[in-house]
Amino acid sequence: MTATRFDFLRYSRFTVALAAAMVLLSLVTIAVKGFRWGIDFTGGVLLERGLGRPVTAGEVREVLLAPALADLQLGSAVVQPVPEASSVLIRFAAESADAVARVDAALAAAFGQAEERRTEFIGPVIGAELVRNALLALALSAVGMLAYLWLRFEMRFSVVAIATLLHNVIIVLGFVSLLELEVNSSFIAAVLTVLGYSVNDTIVIFDRIREHVQVREEKPSADVVNRSLNETLARTINTSLTTLLVVVSLLAFGGDTIRGFMLVLFVGIVVGSYASLFVASPLWLWWRLRGEKKPRAAAA
């Protein structure tokens, strides 16, 4: 028994056009504004300093943003307190020992001590290697999903699912570019999480469509797609809302260190849910019906 009877396909031309417009707008934003690369990709320094007592990220940021350190441009520094060790991890773009010494002096003046526990310089070569590994991870995940969907369902399902994932990732990238969020290794983890979350939602809907078409031998139609979407709608809404509640809570109380990660997840989940409901299924139906018309036209 179907709990809802929403006509998803009625507005499919508008919803797909809106998705295409968002992709185009995101590409323009990326081309114009570019990305703010973090030190994971550009190189920099990682410090771990014992401060004698637990501190908050806000306290350390206040020291780093003091006028005496203004020329070091530490506004984008990543600050991660380690309360159990009474220490803090600080990452910022710098290649000179003098900059590290000035930060140590400022921390010692503010907190009474700045015990050196770790100092690591990340060179541009390591940054380039991280970029290659990140792109390789994204490519391998896309190829793996394409192969699985092709074997599990059919070629049309796999191509549409990958196209939908590209739509999700491009919009997320456009959002990151627009807000000038830092692109670092956490960002790559967030994008991979969005990919996995989005394709899972799409697979559930595609599996229900496949069940109607291949198992029950119903003809592909707007009615079949609408019925499949309505049958899985409660699951989609419940999964998205419960996940978003966790993400919003961490956005509000998780602190600055994970805020960028959570923002990417939030946008990715919203965009992924929209694409699963309003983009993937219409694209598959249009392609399937177009493929069925060609043999009939050739026979005529």
Side-chain angles (χ1 to χ4, degrees), residues 98-119:
D98 178 64
V100 174
R102 290 175 60 191
V103 170
D104 282 341
L107 291 173
F111 300 106
Q113 68 176 77
E115 178 190 356
E116 180 177 351
R117 297 184 179 177
R118 183 172 19 159
T119 301

Side-chain angles (χ1 to χ4, degrees), residues 63-75:
V63 174
L64 297 179
L65 296 177
L69 301 178
D71 58 308
L72 297 181
Q73 298 181 339
L74 299 176

Side-chain angles (χ1 to χ4, degrees), residues 251-296:
L251 266 174
F253 305 108
D256 294 337
T257 304
I258 62 171
R259 184 155 295 153
F261 180 84
M262 288 300 148
L263 273 174
V264 171
L265 279 186
F266 181 86
V267 175
I269 291 170
V270 172
V271 172
S273 299
Y274 174 82
S276 296
L277 289 172
F278 297 102
V279 179
S281 299
L283 288 178
W284 173 82
L285 181 63
W286 294 344
W287 192 2
R288 179 65 183 260
L289 295 179
R290 183 183 176 86
E292 291 182 349
K293 286 180 180 177
K294 285 184 177 178
R296 289 201 296 268

Side-chain angles (χ1 to χ4, degrees), residues 171-225:
I171 292 179
V172 167
L173 291 175
F175 174 80
V176 169
S177 176
L178 180 66
L179 295 190
E180 299 182 350
L181 298 177
E182 183 177 286
V183 176
N184 50 29
S185 52
S186 298
F187 167 80
I188 300 301
V191 170
L192 289 173
T193 305
V194 168
L195 284 178
Y197 182 91
S198 301
V199 78
N200 180 58
D201 217 19
T202 304
I203 284 176
V204 170
I205 296 171
F206 279 178
D207 191 52
R208 187 56 59 92
I209 295 175
R210 183 191 63 84
E211 182 180 321
H212 283 296
V213 174
Q214 295 183 2
V215 179
R216 299 178 184 172
E217 298 183 345
E218 297 180 49
K219 289 186 177 180
S221 64
D223 178 63
V224 167
V225 171

Side-chain angles (χ1 to χ4, degrees), residues 60-190:
V60 177
R61 283 194 179 283
E62 188 175 345
V63 174
L64 297 179
L65 296 177
L69 301 178
D71 58 308
L72 297 181
Q73 298 181 339
L74 299 176
S76 61
V78 177
V79 178
Q80 184 177 353
V82 187
E84 60 273 15
S86 298
S87 65
V88 64
L89 293 171
I90 304 172
R91 292 185 296 170
F92 59 95
E95 297 181 359
S96 70
D98 178 64
V100 174
R102 290 175 60 191
V103 170
D104 282 341
L107 291 173
F111 300 106
Q113 68 176 77
E115 178 190 356
E116 180 177 351
R117 297 184 179 177
R118 183 172 19 159
T119 301
E120 296 178 3
F121 285 93
I122 304 172
V125 174
I126 297 178
E129 184 178 338
L130 283 174
V131 172
R132 284 196 300 273
N133 290 339
L135 293 176
L136 183 62
L138 291 173
L140 287 178
S141 61
V143 170
M145 285 184 277
L146 181 67
Y148 169 76
L149 290 168
W150 199 320
L151 293 173
R152 180 71 175 82
F153 298 95
E154 63 170 41
M155 183 265 291
R156 291 185 183 88
F157 281 123
S158 62
V159 174
V160 169
I162 295 301
T164 306
L165 289 180
L166 281 175
H167 155 272
N168 300 343
V169 171
I170 290 173
I171 292 179
V172 167
L173 291 175
F175 174 80
V176 169
S177 176
L178 180 66
L179 295 190
E180 299 182 350
L181 298 177
E182 183 177 286
V183 176
N184 50 29
S185 52
S186 298
F187 167 80
I188 300 301

